[in-house]
Amino acid sequence: MHFLSCLPEALEVEFARTMRRSDRRTNSLEIAIVESLVLGGTVGVVVIDPARVSDVFFVRVLQAVAASTSTLVLWTVFELSVLPAILAAGALPRAELFFHGDAGDAAALTRWASGRTRPTVRAVVWRRLAPSLAAMEPAFAHVLLGVLMGRFHEESIPALLKTHGLHTRQFERRLQRSGLCRGRSLMHLGRLMTAYKCLSARAENVRDAAGHAGYGSSRALRINAHRFIGAVPSEFLRLGAKRFGERIVAALWRSGGLVRGQSGSAVGEVTVR
């Protein structure tokens, strides 16, 4: 697999440390070179941090990837200012999202690369939700996606909303108007995604995965997994990323149906920051 990274020097060094030595890597921040390599079919994966490049550069990379068979990897930070770029990338048919500075995500990126770039659960959920999230108020969408992506670790929805300056009643009303599950259920879905990520590493047992996901016991993880997605932890990996992610998305909507959001903007027509 040939990786093209569009990263500044310090971040490129960090990225290189996470990858296998056998992977071929090219680094460039020259847009003409990037477009030539991507459109020429030279690279299979393009890695970029939208927080470290200009909006124009990022949109041109999106357009090049959209016109190719490459996969885009966002290796970035989960900040409100980066949310529009994350949602824009979610419109691509092949995209993944990892966060640098996170040891768990570094390991997940390595596993993803060694697994011949099969979609992760995070990608399944993120790309299904991106059009709907793009139609929401940004601060609301940021918290919602952050809970699902495991970026916020508060023990309750009120504690989370206090951290982000949002009011519980207002947040719950917005969830209801959007047809989404209640805040408490949202937090459980995020915990189940974290548990899946831990179990995917195959270095943790169910009890350890439950602890990292925010549950006090493996029994609590098992009860909530059965309640929300109709599967117990021992079945997570047999479901596979696609089916597990689809069950998370279905549980997110009160009706249990598919995402009903508006269509997203075409690549190149978005304001990414």
Side-chain angles (χ1 to χ4, degrees):
M1 180 67 67
H2 190 166
F3 285 74
L4 169 62
S5 57
C6 305
L7 302 170
E9 183 177 358
L11 197 55
E12 163 61 19
V13 171
E14 182 182 342
F15 172 71
R17 286 199 298 263
T18 71
M19 303 307 296
R20 298 171 300 158
R21 292 183 179 180
S22 59
D23 287 322
R24 291 182 297 153
R25 293 188 305 276
T26 301
N27 179 258
S28 179
L29 288 171
E30 296 290 336
I31 190 60
I33 294 175
V34 171
E35 290 175 329
S36 176
L37 291 173
V38 174
L39 295 175
T42 304
V43 297
V45 179
V46 182
V47 185
I48 190 169
D49 180 356
R52 303 289 187 92
V53 298
S54 70
D55 293 353
V56 172
F57 184 95
F58 180 67
V59 168
R60 287 181 64 175
V61 170
L62 285 186
Q63 292 171 331
V65 172
S68 74
T69 58
S70 298
T71 298
L72 185 75
V73 169
L74 295 192
W75 202 47
T76 188
V77 292
F78 193 71
E79 296 177 354
L80 182 57
S81 61
V82 186
L83 181 65
I86 291 174
L87 298 182
L92 295 175
R94 292 169 298 278
E96 290 286 344
L97 177 62
F98 301 97
F99 302 104
H100 54 72
D102 184 315
D105 267 29
L109 174 57
T110 302
R111 290 196 303 274
W112 174 79
S114 64
R116 298 184 180 178
T117 63
R118 290 189 295 268
T120 63
V121 165
R122 180 181 285 172
V124 172
V125 173
W126 159 48
R127 285 157 51 193
R128 289 287 302 280
L129 294 181
S132 297
L133 293 173
M136 298 175 182
E137 194 274 324
F140 173 66
H142 183 243
V143 170
L144 196 158
L145 187 61
V147 171
L148 291 173
M149 298 293 104
R151 304 318 298 163
F152 304 138
H153 305 289
E154 286 82 357
E155 294 183 356
S156 67
I157 285 292
L160 171 69
L161 299 180
K162 183 178 180 180
T163 299
H164 293 272
L166 300 175
H167 298 289
T168 301
R169 289 183 180 178
Q170 183 184 46
F171 187 76
E172 293 290 349
R173 283 198 298 268
R174 286 179 176 175
L175 287 174
Q176 185 174 20
R177 285 199 301 267
S178 300
L180 298 168
C181 63
R182 296 180 64 86
R184 183 177 177 84
S185 298
L186 172 67
M187 184 158 281
H188 280 297
L189 295 176
R191 288 174 175 175
L192 293 178
M193 286 187 63
T194 297
Y196 185 99
K197 177 182 171 182
C198 292
L199 292 172
S200 295
R202 299 184 185 277
E204 295 192 13
N205 56 37
V206 173
R207 182 177 61 185
D208 292 337
H212 282 132
Y215 288 115
S217 67
S218 55
R219 180 174 182 272
L221 170 58
R222 185 172 62 254
I223 289 172
N224 285 290
H226 186 269
R227 173 188 175 193
F228 287 101
I229 63 171
V232 294
S234 60
E235 298 173 311
F236 281 11
L237 300 187
R238 288 200 297 272
L239 280 174
K242 186 174 186 294
R243 285 195 293 165
F244 185 92
E246 287 175 345
R247 291 193 184 193
I248 291 290
V249 172
L252 183 65
W253 298 89
R254 289 174 187 264
S255 65
L258 300 178
V259 174
R260 303 185 302 278
Q262 301 174 8
S263 298
S265 301
V267 171
E269 296 179 352
V270 297
T271 301
V272 296
R273 251 195 316 276

